[in-house]
Amino acid sequence: MSSQLELTREAEQGRLDADALRRSNEELLHFAESSPMPLHTLDADGIVLWANQAELDLLGCTKGDRFGQHVSKFHADPERCAEMLRRIFNHEKLHNFSARLKTGSGQIREVLIDSTLPWEGNGRVCVQCFIRDISAEKLVQDARQFLAAIVESSDDAIITKSLDGVITSWNQGAERLFGYTAGDAIGKSVLMLIPEDRQSEEPNILARLRRGERIEHFETLRRCKDGRLLEISLTISPVRDDTGKIIGASKIARDITERRRADVALRERTRILESLNRVGSTLAGELELEKLVQAVTDAGREISTAEFGAFFYNVKNEKGESYTLYTLSGAPREAFSKFPMPRNTSLFGPTFRGEGVIRIADVLQDPRYGKNSPRHGMPEGHLPVRSYLAVPVISRSGEVIGGLFFGHSKVNVFTEEAEKTITAVAAQAAIGIDNANLYRDLQHELSAHKAAETALRDSEARFRALIDNSFLPIWVKDCDGSYLLINKRYEEVFNRHESEVIGKTDFELQPPEVAKEFRKNDLTVIATGNPLEMEEIGFQSDGQHIYLAVKFPLRKTDGSIYAVAGICTDITDRKRTELELRQTRENLARTNEDLEKRVQERTASLREVIAQMEEFSYSVSHDLRAPVRAMKGYAIATMEDYGSQLDARGRDYLDRIIRSSKRMENLIHDVLTYSRLARTETILQPVSLGKLLQDIIQSYPTLQPPKAEISIHEPLHTVLAHEPSLTQAISNLLSNGVKFVVPGTKPMLQVWTEARDGMVRLWIKDNGIGIKPEYQRRLFGMFERIHQDHGYEGTGIGLAIVRKAAEKMGGSTGVESDGIHGSSFWIELPAANKV
Amino acid sequence: MNDKNPRILLVEDDENDVFLMERALSKANLASPMHVAMNGQEALDYLGGVGKYADRATFPMPKCVFLDLKLPFIHGFDVLEWIRTQPTLGDLQVFVLTSSPEERDRQRARQLGAKAYLVKPPTPELLLETFRGFPQCGPCGGN
């Protein structure tokens, strides 16, 4: 480049050809301007006179930023810049002066600066500076240094080798691992590290490397300088030159001896833990004692690596007597069955007493072995035991459940680790056995419980069926009023599904005032503990219903009330009917009352009438008779005292007065008799007709001989009659019978009775004048006289009295006559039972 | 009528009946002195010895009474009842003499202690019959 500048100078100085010079100058300027190397011109004050585009690009600035500005403006280190200027203007030609520039955007650029010597041009001292940006190179260099440091300081052995296996580098890690120094190793074959029996590995590795493969975590053995074999893990990568050609390999080796040892320990530990875990879950899950102890024995043998194991454990029978069972592992049961149970020997005793673990490397050498009679050692045929491990199994309550015994025919088999693990297993086993015992007890309880439960369920099912089949709605509510149960009928009646009711209270199902009433009644039942029967009003989809409900408390076994049950009957219809009935009854009662009142009034007025009638009769009997009696009395007295002084006509007149007054007396008598009969209360009693007839005949001389003859045809029936009335009636009939005869004829009467269908008819047949049939109907009327008054005295009332009397006694009367041959009068009355 | 020793007291308000009674007695030859009380009150006064009846010489205590029932002021049954309450009249025989043939009157009279129940008109036969049952009452007469 300096040659180019010299050319420029020559051109200026030569002035040979102005055009050529100008052209040359322009070419130079164009060259400088377009040079990819950043360059600039400084004056003696360090001011940048000019800079090319490459420099402006490097610094990320414009011409304005650079031209006429001090060069230090884009230097990161002012002191370095000052040194540079001092050295330039001290006439030093700089070469590879390192500096750090700061770009317009603040980036730092590592650069190397070259300069010309100061020279005079256009009357001023100038210098040209050339800048090389070495930032990228610097980075690579730094990285390489950094990597080398890493390699050097790495714990891992890092080695490089050529494809023919010659070691080309060797770090401190390699030195530490293998014992050789870098000086020892570089230039030697890697085979020196490979044990004899693994020499074949190397060609293999190299072959793979040549194919460009990377080998990772290849675990192998290597020998170090002192001859020890190391377990190492190798990672081998091909190393390529810039063109990608494989020129060697890097090898990272790590000592994994420790790790391998740890791995083995870990695997062992894992195995034990797995066993323990398996045992643990078996123990936790296995509740059958026999299976459990077998699992414990098997697990113990596995963990301890014993050849055989046994678990002797105590159980109690139902009587509470203790005895010992055992399980075996690794030996058939026959191997032990011929031996008795282990005794409390000095070897076994401590285990059965729970005094701790006994681990013996060689039992034959142990002082406790062979101390007990009679055998002093293992019985003949016993499995050969050298290593011995015995662990007591102790329950939570401190009771020794049994012992785990393990044996091995080799000495020194059982490690401390195994002992610890077996101890843990024993503890687990104890818990398991405790649980199994508990479980067994529980099973007994459970089966009893289950039987009870089944019975209960059955009875509940029956109960449920009963409830569901009930024709009446049934429900159960808890003490808070929530429905616990309803039956099918309830669902039907209230048109609500169980799911809509259960868990709800009446306040969610019924109008508030109804729910309030329900709740009040429920609470009464809860408070009193007594059943309650009441009418309740509830609502169904079709409106208000009335229920007759019986509520009663449900009690727990301790007597406390936990629910209220209810059964109800819909009595809406009944109530309606009742109401209607009541109204009807009330109406009826009112009507009855009215009627009663009317009857009473009527009765009262009737009584009054009767009383008046009686008064009338009384008056008649007293007062009406008195004048007649006086008339008759005076007429008779006149006849007696003065009859002799009268002529025949006078006496006839007096006689007529006397007869008329007598007739008047008779009339009054008969009318009174009739009216008395009509109002007399007739109480019927059995009356013997025979005796009655005799009495009547006795009291009427006209019925007796010689005036009349009455034949009574015995036997006569007994009738039900009112005796005074019957006497009156029969008297009248007999009187009539003897009265109405042809004059001069002696009355002859026949009397008999005839039974007629529950009635008795008394016949009185006379030999009188008879009654023509056409008159017979009128015969029993009042004041009916069918005979003209030619000598037949009569009032016309006698037969009316007979009829009235017969009718009053529930009977009747009548006559049969042809009007010529006498008459047959009869009176019929109810028959008494006796004849 | 006011005989000196009346043995019969007739309580009767009807003069006709008094006539018939006297006639019957006389026809029966029972000429017993008889005093007639015309109403119930007079009967009580006579029997109780009230007023002028205190003079037993003039108005001696009768042996028997023929008593009508239908009387003015005081009814025959009331008289009968009163007599029963008088201790001094324990021996007095009362015969009811009435127009009433009514059974209820007959029973009532019997209950109140009447010794006979006679339906008018009295006849000599009836009176004789009656006195036959009670000889101490007569015929006593003045003979």
Side-chain angles (χ1 to χ4, degrees):
Chain A
M1 262 176 249
S2 59
S3 60
Q4 286 171 346
L5 285 169
E6 280 169 11
L7 278 174
T8 307
R9 207 181 308 143
E10 279 172 22
E12 274 186 344
Q13 287 173 347
R15 304 175 187 244
L16 295 174
D17 188 342
D19 287 342
L21 188 64
R22 194 173 54 247
R23 199 170 54 243
S24 164
N25 207 12
E26 280 172 3
E27 281 172 2
L28 275 174
L29 209 76
H30 182 251
F31 169 79
E33 189 64 53
S34 55
S35 162
M37 174 179 280
L39 57 93
H40 60 260
T41 310
L42 296 176
D43 68 6
D45 296 328
I47 300 298
V48 177
L49 296 176
W50 173 88
N52 73 351
Q53 190 57 44
E55 180 163 308
L56 294 175
D57 290 345
L58 173 70
L59 295 175
C61 67
T62 63
K63 281 180 181 169
D65 292 332
R66 192 64 167 157
F67 291 14
Q69 299 289 323
H70 197 273
V71 73
S72 67
K73 183 181 176 188
F74 287 93
H75 271 266
D77 309 317
E79 282 168 18
R80 189 74 176 152
C81 181
E83 186 193 343
M84 177 186 77
L85 289 176
R86 194 173 60 245
R87 282 169 64 177
I88 287 172
F89 291 105
N90 212 16
H91 292 274
E92 185 181 339
K93 194 178 168 192
L94 295 179
H95 180 61
N96 284 348
F97 181 86
S98 69
R100 292 167 68 236
L101 298 182
K102 200 166 122 194
T103 69
S105 62
Q107 270 187 320
I108 300 295
R109 293 280 171 187
E110 298 282 345
V111 293
L112 293 174
I113 301 172
D114 285 13
S115 70
T116 59
L117 287 171
W119 54 276
E120 286 270 332
N122 295 335
R124 51 205 300 197
V125 176
C126 294
V127 74
Q128 264 98 29
C129 295
F130 309 87
I131 301 169
R132 267 187 299 138
D133 182 0
I134 57 161
S135 295
E137 290 168 39
K138 184 92 162 100
L139 269 176
V140 171
Q141 202 182 335
D142 284 355
R144 191 170 288 148
Q145 276 175 1
F146 194 60
L147 277 172
I150 290 172
V151 168
E152 208 47 44
S153 61
S154 170
D155 270 351
D156 291 333
I158 302 174
I159 303 159
T160 58
K161 61 179 182 186
S162 62
L163 280 178
D164 52 8
V166 176
I167 294 166
T168 52
S169 75
W170 186 266
N171 76 342
Q172 283 182 18
E175 205 175 308
R176 275 198 299 278
L177 184 62
F178 296 113
Y180 299 101
T181 63
D184 293 337
I186 292 174
K188 301 265 174 58
S189 170
V190 292
L191 290 173
M192 74 174 186
L193 300 173
I194 301 174
E196 296 71 34
D197 55 345
R198 289 181 183 257
Q199 290 283 331
S200 62
E201 280 178 6
E202 186 58 17
N204 235 333
I205 291 168
L206 290 175
R208 289 174 68 183
L209 280 173
R210 280 190 200 100
R211 290 198 298 271
E213 285 176 33
R214 182 180 156 91
I215 299 158
E216 281 186 13
H217 308 304
F218 172 61
E219 292 186 3
T220 185
L221 287 173
R222 289 293 179 265
R223 193 176 297 283
C224 32
K225 193 180 176 182
D226 60 9
R228 276 184 306 125
L229 280 174
L230 295 176
E231 283 190 69
I232 58 162
S233 169
L234 287 177
T235 296
I236 306 165
S237 309
V239 175
R240 299 162 195 267
D241 65 7
D242 293 345
T243 63
K245 184 182 162 205
I246 297 167
I247 52 166
S250 75
K251 234 178 183 177
I252 302 169
R254 182 171 292 173
D255 184 357
I256 57 166
T257 311
E258 272 309 309
R259 201 189 78 196
R260 178 56 63 93
R261 215 180 352 258
D263 265 3
V264 171
L266 192 67
R267 265 200 295 279
E268 175 66 7
R269 188 76 195 154
T270 304
R271 186 183 67 84
I272 290 171
L273 281 175
E274 276 170 2
S275 300
L276 257 181
N277 193 37
R278 196 170 63 246
V279 173
S281 62
T282 306
L283 296 188
E286 187 52 67
L287 292 167
E288 262 181 59
L289 191 59
E290 289 71 22
K291 283 190 185 167
L292 179 79
V293 294
Q294 186 64 58
V296 168
T297 317
D298 288 344
R301 188 179 71 87
E302 192 181 328
I303 290 165
S304 64
T305 67
E307 282 178 336
F308 34 82
F311 185 8
F312 292 89
Y313 59 102
N314 301 317
V315 290
K316 280 187 176 140
N317 64 12
E318 282 158 9
K319 291 176 192 165
E321 293 162 350
S322 184
Y323 61 104
T324 305
L325 291 176
Y326 64 96
T327 55
L328 295 174
S329 182
R333 208 160 173 82
E334 302 82 63
F336 271 91
S337 58
K338 55 181 178 285
F339 303 122
M341 289 294 161
R343 298 166 299 137
N344 271 331
T345 59
S346 50
L347 189 60
F348 297 138
T351 305
F352 287 124
R353 287 193 297 273
E355 287 171 2
V357 182
I358 297 172
R359 177 162 63 98
I360 302 168
D362 185 356
V363 75
L364 300 182
Q365 304 304 315
D366 195 88
R368 288 167 290 201
Y369 176 74
K371 286 287 177 289
N372 292 78
S373 295
R375 288 194 188 83
H376 300 283
M378 281 177 271
E380 203 178 325
H382 195 281
L383 289 164
V385 176
R386 298 296 293 275
S387 291
Y388 175 87
L389 178 62
V391 182
V393 178
I394 301 168
S395 81
R396 273 167 293 192
S397 60
E399 182 193 0
V400 179
I401 297 167
L404 277 163
F405 298 88
F406 300 99
H408 202 285
S409 56
K410 287 189 184 146
V411 299
N412 208 13
V413 167
F414 301 131
T415 61
E416 194 182 342
E417 185 72 17
E419 178 187 323
K420 281 181 191 159
T421 311
I422 296 296
T423 307
V425 167
Q428 291 251 31
I431 291 167
I433 290 167
D434 274 355
N435 285 346
N437 283 332
L438 267 177
Y439 177 75
R440 196 183 47 202
D441 293 348
L442 205 66
Q443 283 301 82
H444 283 299
E445 252 175 65
L446 265 178
S447 61
H449 203 73
K450 238 175 211 162
E453 208 173 55
T454 304
L456 196 66
R457 225 186 347 261
D458 287 352
S459 101
E460 200 176 276
R462 281 198 296 273
F463 179 59
R464 180 79 215 188
L466 194 70
I467 283 181
D468 270 347
N469 288 320
S470 165
F471 184 69
L472 299 176
I474 298 175
W475 69 89
V476 177
K477 287 182 247 181
D478 67 17
C479 290
D480 296 329
S482 296
Y483 281 88
L484 297 173
L485 174 153
I486 60 170
N487 70 346
K488 289 259 190 306
R489 185 64 187 153
Y490 184 104
E491 290 184 328
E492 289 163 18
V493 167
F494 293 95
N495 196 25
R496 280 209 168 95
H497 189 256
E498 193 177 36
S499 60
E500 299 172 69
V501 176
I502 300 303
K504 296 224 171 67
T505 68
D506 288 314
F507 289 93
E508 296 161 86
L509 301 169
Q510 295 281 353
E513 67 279 7
V514 172
K516 227 165 120 185
E517 181 68 17
F518 283 7
R519 184 64 180 148
K520 196 191 85 189
N521 291 332
D522 291 351
L523 287 173
T524 305
V525 172
I526 293 166
T528 61
N530 290 325
L532 190 63
E533 189 178 306
M534 81 295 295
E535 284 181 12
E536 288 183 336
I537 293 172
F539 282 88
Q540 289 178 24
S541 44
D542 64 345
Q544 180 177 299
H545 280 238
I546 304 168
Y547 304 99
L548 178 66
V550 181
K551 296 185 174 184
F552 51 95
L554 296 182
R555 293 170 190 279
K556 290 184 202 161
T557 44
D558 66 2
S560 63
I561 295 168
Y562 73 93
V564 178
I567 302 173
C568 74
T569 317
D570 190 335
I571 54 167
T572 313
D573 288 344
R574 205 172 88 193
K575 278 307 249 198
R576 197 180 298 128
T577 312
E578 243 174 45
L579 189 69
E580 286 167 4
L581 204 64
R582 195 159 57 228
Q583 281 169 352
T584 309
R585 225 178 261 156
E586 278 168 9
N587 287 342
L588 204 63
R590 244 195 317 278
T591 311
N592 270 349
E593 228 168 79
D594 290 351
L595 205 62
E596 185 80 7
K597 208 169 143 194
R598 258 183 289 165
V599 165
Q600 278 174 0
E601 284 166 5
R602 201 68 67 76
T603 309
S605 76
L606 271 173
R607 282 224 180 88
E608 207 176 317
V609 170
I610 288 169
Q612 283 168 0
M613 282 282 291
E614 285 183 359
E615 191 53 41
F616 169 74
S617 299
Y618 200 70
S619 297
V620 166
S621 64
H622 285 86
D623 300 342
L624 204 56
R625 297 174 86 178
V628 176
R629 191 167 58 244
M631 276 159 58
K632 192 185 86 177
Y634 283 111
I636 289 170
T638 304
M639 183 68 90
E640 285 171 357
D641 294 357
Y642 304 102
S644 57
Q645 295 175 34
L646 293 171
D647 59 6
R649 183 176 287 184
R651 284 197 296 277
D652 180 45
Y653 290 168
L654 263 181
D655 189 50
R656 284 178 187 270
I657 292 170
I658 291 164
R659 275 196 281 125
S660 290
S661 56
K662 275 186 180 169
R663 204 165 150 248
M664 184 67 177
E665 271 193 329
N666 288 338
L667 263 173
I668 291 169
H669 177 268
D670 281 1
V671 167
L672 283 174
T673 303
Y674 184 87
S675 70
R676 189 165 58 236
L677 196 67
R679 66 172 191 268
T680 302
E681 200 185 352
T682 51
I683 296 164
L684 303 186
Q685 287 175 325
V687 175
S688 168
L689 287 172
K691 182 171 183 303
L692 187 74
L693 280 161
Q694 292 300 333
D695 287 350
I696 291 168
I697 292 165
Q698 282 297 317
S699 51
Y700 289 90
T702 52
L703 300 178
Q704 296 166 13
K707 290 186 176 170
E709 211 153 292
I710 296 175
S711 310
I712 295 171
H713 300 271
E714 301 276 359
L716 295 179
H717 290 84
T718 301
V719 294
L720 281 177
H722 178 240
E723 195 171 321
S725 299
L726 185 56
T727 304
Q728 185 73 56
I730 291 174
S731 303
N732 286 10
L733 287 173
L734 290 173
S735 300
N736 278 354
V738 298
K739 196 188 289 173
F740 297 103
V741 289
V742 175
T745 310
K746 186 180 182 184
M748 307 278 282
L749 302 185
Q750 310 285 326
V751 180
W752 70 95
T753 57
E754 180 194 359
R756 292 170 66 99
D757 194 21
M759 304 295 278
V760 170
R761 185 172 282 194
L762 174 73
W763 286 95
I764 298 169
K765 184 179 165 53
D766 60 45
N767 58 342
I769 53 178
I771 303 153
K772 291 192 175 111
E774 60 262 38
Y775 299 129
Q776 286 171 11
R777 270 177 53 211
R778 289 169 52 200
L779 195 59
F780 295 90
M782 189 77 149
F783 298 113
E784 291 284 355
R785 294 182 68 237
I786 54 171
H787 301 290
Q788 284 300 317
D789 188 14
H790 19 252
Y792 300 112
E793 260 187 45
T795 59
I797 297 173
L799 286 175
I801 289 170
V802 172
R803 191 175 76 170
K804 176 58 79 179
E807 284 171 0
K808 288 273 288 183
M809 294 183 289
S812 55
T813 185
V815 66
E816 285 179 8
S817 175
D818 56 4
I820 302 160
H821 304 95
S823 308
S824 297
F825 282 86
W826 56 262
I827 179 166
E828 193 173 283
L829 292 167
N833 290 333
K834 278 197 305 184
V835 174
Chain B
M1 294 290 147
N2 292 326
D3 299 288
K4 278 199 334 204
N5 294 301
R7 296 298 180 89
I8 294 170
L9 176 66
L10 176 66
V11 186
E12 179 60 80
D13 63 322
D14 187 329
E15 289 179 356
N16 294 327
D17 282 337
V18 173
F19 164 76
L20 293 175
M21 181 60 178
E22 284 173 339
R23 191 169 175 85
L25 281 169
S26 124
K27 280 176 84 172
N29 289 317
L30 296 165
S32 180
M34 184 175 78
H35 179 86
V36 177
M38 294 300 286
N39 57 55
Q41 186 57 54
E42 198 186 335
L44 299 191
D45 290 347
Y46 188 102
L47 292 171
V50 176
K52 62 177 179 185
Y53 300 114
D55 175 12
R56 285 298 178 205
T58 312
F59 305 105
M61 201 61 177
K63 293 277 194 249
C64 64
V65 177
F66 283 86
L67 176 66
D68 190 14
L69 292 177
K70 200 153 186 290
L71 292 166
F73 313 126
I74 294 176
H75 197 273
F77 285 135
D78 297 329
V79 177
L80 195 55
E81 233 168 30
W82 178 86
I83 291 168
R84 274 188 47 174
T85 64
Q86 301 302 307
T88 54
L89 302 179
D91 292 336
L92 187 69
Q93 307 301 321
V94 180
F95 310 120
V96 168
L97 179 62
T98 175
S99 320
S100 169
E102 299 285 323
E103 185 61 26
R104 55 175 184 175
D105 287 341
R106 201 182 287 272
Q107 282 181 9
R108 181 93 196 275
R110 198 181 303 133
Q111 283 166 4
L112 291 173
K115 291 298 189 289
Y117 188 91
L118 313 175
V119 177
K120 292 175 184 173
T123 59
E125 296 79 22
L126 198 59
L127 294 175
L128 285 170
E129 170 77 22
T130 303
F131 283 119
R132 256 199 299 278
F134 301 93
Q136 72 273 25
C137 300
C140 37
N143 44 334

